[in-house]
Amino acid sequence: MAQNYQKNTPRGLDKTKRAPKIGRLDMYFLVIKEAVLDMFRSDRIRDSLNQLLDTAQTECEEMLAEKSKQDGAKRVYVPRKKSSILPFKTVILQLIISQSKSLYGEMTSSLLFSHDHIPTVSAFVQRLKLIHEDVFYHLFTGFVEENYWNHINIYEDRFYGVDGTSKTYPGTIYEESYHVSPGKENAKEHNEMHGNALYSLNEHMFLDIIIQPVHEKDERDALLTFMDRVAHRFESSYEARTHSIFVDDRGYESWAVIARACKHDLGLICRCKDPDSNGLLAGIRDLLPENYKDLEWMDTTLDVTLTRSAKRKFLSNYVYLNTNQRCDECTPDQDFAVTLRVVKVPLSKTTSEYMVVINLNPRIYTAKVLKSKYFLRWGLEIGFMGLKEACCLNSPHGLSSESIRKEFIAKLILYDISACFAYYKMPSESTLKLTPKTKHEYEVTFSDTVADVRRYLAVNENYDLDEIVQKHRRPVRPDRPSKPRVKRAKLTPYTNHKSS
């Protein structure tokens, strides 16, 4: 039955495993370290990208050469050094800063090429084919490593969002796993891929990506992979794992996700379906309070044991998993025990939502706090919108799945570089008032920041990009409706004299 969460210590909050207290000297060291790293931040970000571009070619050649030996391939595309007009670095940067024009229009308006040495479209496409797609992923993960993972504070809570987005492109080249035939919902045949992204809800950066064909997409498997990667990164630090919190939508609710979070001591906030539906909570409905439907707020802790034995599925506090349900931690020979919180929060007078919470202290993360923290996940949806619109992911320049994957990852690099400037937090607040008399607070416009970053990457001039980005600020009006009222212009006469 339901237990009082104040009497039961959730899994992952054992007193013997709590993080040690941070001393005053350690706090001073962290503050000084952040202050030093923020000096000349635009130069540091640019230098890190240039260093990655300089070392990517040799590292990837060695990696792909070894891979070709293992796979027995006759030829593996690797970047080459000999090219006067289209060197390795120029091709990568051109794909990153490309917009929604045609490929020839992009090169004619690009600052990377002079008017006397504009390459042909065929030369650029052939040069791009010589660069393996692992090179782009290497640059993306290397930039995230230098500008996110190396600067995090393991003693602070970090919230991560995982979601997927579909990318459609012309079906000129037929690929079975990517091809979508015309039907009732699809008027035209096209190709489509699904990108699963790991997103930092604190720093507004994409941290990892898994691209799957549309007919092989599995969002839950991608979430489990991201959880394994985060746990492996902090394998030797229990404090870093407990402060890594995943915020997921109800499409990810499953016992496999809950068991994986308990196994790695990761935090989890997952919205679930109603207990009266066919969701996860329907299997433990008997363990909830009898009047859970009448409660406006609910926060109860349950001890549940996952089993695959048919003999124990009728026992109390046991949940039976059949062979079709994936859960690597629960095997036919061994059960797996989990401790979870079921939280009910009201959205309005008539609607409410249920959440499953793992490894979060109930004294700190109360039901009201969890309600506000879940809305952080909306930042991931805004991130996808900025990736597709501002970074022009909706306007691909390739036709094959390989070229689309390259451009997908290239736009992620452009987004993360822009996010480092657009969502940079001030020492006191994330927004800034221009003067004490200013009525509203101001924030940086992301689309204008992307345009500044494109120019910053193309030209070879050293200047402070922070000062330029701060010019593109707009007022923050949280009380403004979604559709502001627009006053219609009045008709004015063409002449100034009054009619008699």
Side-chain angles (χ1 to χ4, degrees):
M1 297 298 293
Q3 300 178 5
N4 188 356
Y5 64 86
Q6 295 181 354
K7 297 181 180 180
N8 186 20
T9 303
R11 180 184 176 92
L13 295 175
D14 191 2
K15 296 181 179 180
T16 60
K17 295 184 178 180
R18 286 184 179 176
K21 295 183 179 180
I22 307 176
R24 184 175 298 179
L25 294 177
D26 295 336
M27 290 298 297
Y28 287 159
F29 175 75
L30 292 174
V31 172
I32 294 174
K33 181 180 178 181
E34 292 179 358
V36 172
L37 290 175
D38 288 338
M39 295 177 61
F40 308 104
R41 191 165 52 90
S42 58
D43 296 337
R44 177 175 57 84
I45 292 175
R46 187 178 191 175
D47 293 341
S48 64
L49 182 61
N50 290 331
Q51 185 178 4
L52 288 171
L53 287 171
D54 294 337
T55 58
Q57 183 173 359
T58 56
E59 292 180 0
C60 291
E61 282 181 355
E62 296 175 358
M63 178 185 64
L64 296 175
E66 183 179 357
K67 184 178 179 181
S68 62
K69 293 180 180 179
Q70 296 176 357
D71 299 341
K74 296 182 180 179
R75 180 185 179 189
V76 176
Y77 289 135
V78 295
R80 297 178 181 176
K81 299 180 181 179
K82 295 182 180 180
S83 181
S84 57
I85 301 179
L86 288 172
F88 171 77
K89 182 178 179 180
T90 304
V91 176
I92 297 290
L93 289 178
Q94 178 59 41
L95 196 64
I96 291 176
I97 66 175
S98 62
Q99 302 182 42
S100 57
K101 301 179 183 179
S102 63
L103 190 55
Y104 182 73
E106 294 288 348
M107 291 187 292
T108 54
S109 60
S110 176
L111 298 175
L112 293 171
F113 307 103
S114 61
H115 296 286
D116 300 334
H117 298 84
I118 298 178
T120 61
V121 175
S122 177
F124 184 85
V125 172
Q126 293 178 19
R127 180 61 179 160
L128 184 61
K129 286 183 178 181
L130 296 177
I131 304 176
H132 198 275
E133 58 182 309
D134 291 343
V135 176
F136 291 89
Y137 185 76
H138 170 79
L139 293 174
F140 170 63
T141 54
F143 181 83
V144 173
E145 185 76 24
E146 292 291 335
N147 296 276
Y148 177 78
W149 294 113
N150 292 343
H151 304 290
I152 62 174
N153 185 4
I154 63 174
Y155 301 106
E156 294 181 356
D157 290 339
R158 303 174 304 278
F159 295 89
Y160 303 108
V162 177
D163 203 353
T165 182
S166 297
K167 179 69 188 75
T168 59
Y169 56 100
T172 306
I173 301 177
Y174 179 81
E175 295 175 299
E176 185 177 0
S177 58
Y178 295 90
H179 188 75
V180 178
S181 302
K184 295 181 180 180
E185 299 180 356
N186 306 309
K188 297 180 179 180
E189 60 177 354
H190 60 274
N191 292 337
E192 184 177 343
M193 63 178 58
H194 194 77
N196 302 276
L198 176 65
Y199 189 81
S200 172
L201 302 176
N202 301 97
E203 303 297 333
H204 304 279
M205 291 179 61
F206 286 99
L207 306 180
D208 205 346
I209 187 69
I210 296 177
I211 302 177
Q212 302 169 336
V214 63
H215 297 299
E216 300 176 5
K217 67 177 182 179
D218 191 347
E219 292 186 341
R220 291 183 183 178
D221 181 72
L223 174 59
L224 296 176
T225 304
F226 290 142
M227 296 175 76
D228 292 337
R229 292 178 181 178
V230 173
H232 179 71
R233 176 177 295 274
F234 303 115
E235 185 177 4
S236 59
S237 177
Y238 173 81
E239 295 82 8
R241 295 198 307 272
T242 55
H243 289 288
S244 302
I245 304 172
F246 286 80
V247 184
D248 303 320
D249 201 4
R250 56 187 171 190
Y252 293 94
E253 60 169 323
S254 65
W255 289 112
V257 175
I258 293 177
R260 192 65 56 88
C262 293
K263 175 184 177 181
H264 294 317
D265 297 318
L266 300 173
L268 178 66
I269 304 174
C270 184
R271 189 168 66 132
C272 298
K273 298 179 182 178
D274 192 271
D276 295 333
S277 64
N278 58 351
L280 181 144
L281 296 180
I284 56 175
R285 190 186 331 172
D286 298 337
L287 303 179
L288 299 176
E290 297 180 358
N291 59 341
Y292 72 91
K293 295 182 180 180
D294 302 329
L295 296 176
E296 184 180 7
W297 296 84
M298 183 184 70
D299 191 348
T300 180
T301 301
L302 304 176
D303 292 326
V304 179
T305 303
L306 306 179
T307 182
R308 295 189 184 274
S309 175
K311 298 180 180 179
R312 293 189 290 272
K313 67 178 181 179
F314 297 105
L315 300 177
S316 60
N317 293 58
Y318 273 80
V319 175
Y320 174 71
L321 302 179
N322 54 34
T323 56
N324 296 329
Q325 293 178 276
R326 177 183 176 181
C327 185
D328 300 336
E329 289 74 20
C330 181
T331 61
D333 302 329
Q334 185 177 4
D335 300 338
F336 190 81
V338 298
T339 300
L340 56 93
R341 291 169 56 196
V342 180
V343 180
K344 179 182 179 182
V345 295
L347 299 181
S348 63
K349 295 182 179 180
T350 57
T351 60
S352 59
E353 290 290 345
Y354 291 86
M355 291 185 292
V356 169
V357 183
I358 304 294
N359 294 337
L360 295 183
N361 193 339
R363 297 181 180 179
I364 300 176
Y365 290 94
T366 60
K368 293 184 179 180
V369 174
L370 291 171
K371 180 181 178 181
S372 62
K373 293 299 182 183
Y374 179 79
F375 287 111
L376 291 175
R377 191 188 168 277
W378 185 248
L380 176 55
E381 304 296 338
I382 298 177
F384 278 134
M385 182 179 66
L387 180 66
K388 291 184 176 181
E389 300 295 336
C391 299
C392 299
L393 182 61
N394 282 338
S395 303
H397 297 86
L399 297 177
S400 63
S401 61
E402 182 181 358
S403 61
I404 298 298
R405 288 194 299 268
K406 293 177 183 178
E407 194 163 1
F408 200 122
I409 302 175
K411 298 307 179 183
L412 290 175
I413 299 174
L414 176 62
Y415 181 93
D416 283 353
I417 297 175
S418 304
C420 290
F421 296 97
Y423 299 112
Y424 171 64
K425 294 182 179 180
M426 296 296 174
S428 58
E429 298 177 354
S430 59
T431 55
L432 178 67
K433 284 191 175 183
L434 297 179
T435 62
K437 298 181 180 180
T438 305
K439 180 179 179 181
H440 300 286
E441 293 182 346
Y442 285 75
E443 65 180 2
V444 177
T445 306
F446 182 77
S447 58
D448 294 339
T449 305
V450 174
D452 293 333
V453 169
R454 282 194 176 102
R455 178 177 177 81
Y456 184 73
L457 295 177
V459 299
N460 293 322
E461 300 176 0
N462 293 325
Y463 57 89
D464 191 2
L465 187 58
D466 281 320
E467 296 182 359
I468 299 177
V469 168
Q470 291 300 323
K471 296 179 181 179
H472 307 294
R473 288 179 291 193
R474 61 183 178 184
V476 180
R477 298 183 177 93
D479 299 332
R480 169 176 283 191
S482 57
K483 294 182 179 181
R485 298 178 181 178
V486 179
K487 294 183 179 180
R488 296 183 178 274
K490 297 181 180 180
L491 295 176
T492 56
Y494 290 101
T495 57
N496 294 328
H497 68 276
K498 296 181 181 180
S499 59
S500 56

